[in-house]
């Protein structure tokens, strides 16, 4: 496949959220690299996703190699591994964009996390040479994985200090079938993480699958 779309790495792409995003972007014609601590596990997930889509464009690599080969990396590791995973790919992300999907909210006891946002923590850890964008924290894995031929019924709030990088991720989200909005700087991302706490509480209370949708903005 030859195209001018950025190559996307999904670091920790063997879990729940990562494969959902990978399916959407691979289907939209992006080359997607699944990352894992274990290269074999990454390859196995890539094989499953290719089989599901009837493609060969999804590859599996160790996290650092995936980040090295990609233009844009998306972090979807379990929350507790946030710092360790970033440390393991730090040098590979130099000069690139890191999209942080981390929502530091527990399903069993959903509460808003404390500032600074996970995205700000990532930016501090990675340093100024990497542009961090926080996005996808409210997009349920289950919504990404079903009805691949239809848009995802949720909006994506994209926070970044670098507006150009933020707009690139807005474009990426929209290519994956989501509606996305730039929503301010990285410090705002703690509010987006907190919305996850609201959604979990509401979905438990109403036994629903509520997501976020913005009205009143013409794009
Ligand atoms: N699940 C959702 O619906 C959802 C929605 C929005 C945002 N998110 C966010 O997306 C992120 C991932 O969520 P998830 O539900 O996909 O998590 P998950 O399935 O529990 O785990 C994702 C991946 O994290 C990696 N991992 C586990 N321990 C690690 C460690 N010590 N160091 C490095 N990597 C480690 C594993 O990959 P390997 O073992 O292959 O390395 C695992 O497949 C979280 O930050 C979450 O807040 C999730």
């Amino acid at each position: 496949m030859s195209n001018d779309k950025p190559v996307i790495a999904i670091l920790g792409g063997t879990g729940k959220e990562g494969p959902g995003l990978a399916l959407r972007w691979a289907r939209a014609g992006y080359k997607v690299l699944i990352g894992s601590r274990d290269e074999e596990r990454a390859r196995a997930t890539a094989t499953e996703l290719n089989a599901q889509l009837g493609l060969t464009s999804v590859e599996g690599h160790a996290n650092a190699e995936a980040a090295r080969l990609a233009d844009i990396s998306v972090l979807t590791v379990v929350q507790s591994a946030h710092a360790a995973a970033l440390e393991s790919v730090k040098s590979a992300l130099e000069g690139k964009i890191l999209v942080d999907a981390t929502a530091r909210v527990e399903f069993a006891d959903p509460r808003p996390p404390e500032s600074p946002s996970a995205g700000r923590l990532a930016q501090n850890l990675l340093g100024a040479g990497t542009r961090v964008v926080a996005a996808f924290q409210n997009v349920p894995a289950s919504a990404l994985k079903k009805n691949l031929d239809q848009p995802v019924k949720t909006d994506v709030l994209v926070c970044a200090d670098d507006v150009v990088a933020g707009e690139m991720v807005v474009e990426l989200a929209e290519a994956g079938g989501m509606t996305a909005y730039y929503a301010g700087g990285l410090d705002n991302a703690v509010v987006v993480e907190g919305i996850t706490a609201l959604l979990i509480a509401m979905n438990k209370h109403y036994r629903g699958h509520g997501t976020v949708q913005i009205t009143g903005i013409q794009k």
Side-chain angles (χ1 to χ4, degrees), residues 3-202:
N3 66 40
D4 56 2
K5 294 180 167 70
V7 176
I8 305 166
I10 317 253
L11 310 176
T14 54
K16 297 179 275 298
E17 183 75 356
L21 292 168
L23 281 169
R24 294 278 166 176
W25 287 322
R27 194 173 179 279
Y30 288 78
K31 180 164 181 171
V32 176
L33 312 178
I34 297 294
S36 168
R37 287 167 296 174
D38 178 338
E39 188 180 346
E40 281 309 311
R41 195 155 51 237
R43 284 195 188 149
T45 298
T47 300
E48 283 171 25
L49 299 178
N50 280 326
Q52 185 175 345
L53 294 169
L55 295 173
T56 56
S57 55
V58 184
E59 295 178 5
H61 295 277
N63 279 326
E65 179 68 356
R68 191 185 69 77
L69 294 170
D71 300 302
I72 297 177
S73 292
V74 183
L75 185 73
T76 61
V77 297
V78 69
Q79 310 165 30
S80 56
H82 186 251
L86 287 169
E87 286 286 1
S88 75
V89 294
K90 182 175 177 178
S91 60
L93 292 176
E94 185 68 26
K96 299 184 181 177
I97 292 174
L98 182 275
V99 183
D100 196 339
T102 306
R104 298 162 299 160
V105 179
E106 298 299 333
F107 183 83
D109 183 19
R111 295 161 188 255
E114 288 182 7
S115 286
S117 65
R120 175 63 67 204
L121 292 170
Q123 186 69 76
N124 291 346
L125 188 153
L126 295 172
T130 300
R131 293 182 288 169
V132 175
V133 178
F136 307 111
Q137 304 98 316
N138 304 142
V139 182
S142 55
L144 290 165
K145 289 174 178 168
K146 67 184 175 194
N147 304 327
L148 289 180
D149 56 338
Q150 291 170 29
V152 186
K153 287 185 187 149
T154 184
D155 290 354
V156 180
L157 303 174
V158 177
C159 298
D161 293 346
D162 184 313
V163 179
V164 172
E167 286 293 354
M168 285 173 71
V169 176
V170 166
E171 192 179 322
L172 198 56
E174 299 207 326
M178 294 157 259
T179 302
Y181 298 89
Y182 176 72
L186 266 187
D187 292 324
N188 281 3
V190 74
V191 179
V192 184
E193 288 182 75
I195 290 173
T196 303
L198 301 182
L199 290 171
I200 291 172
M202 291 167 74

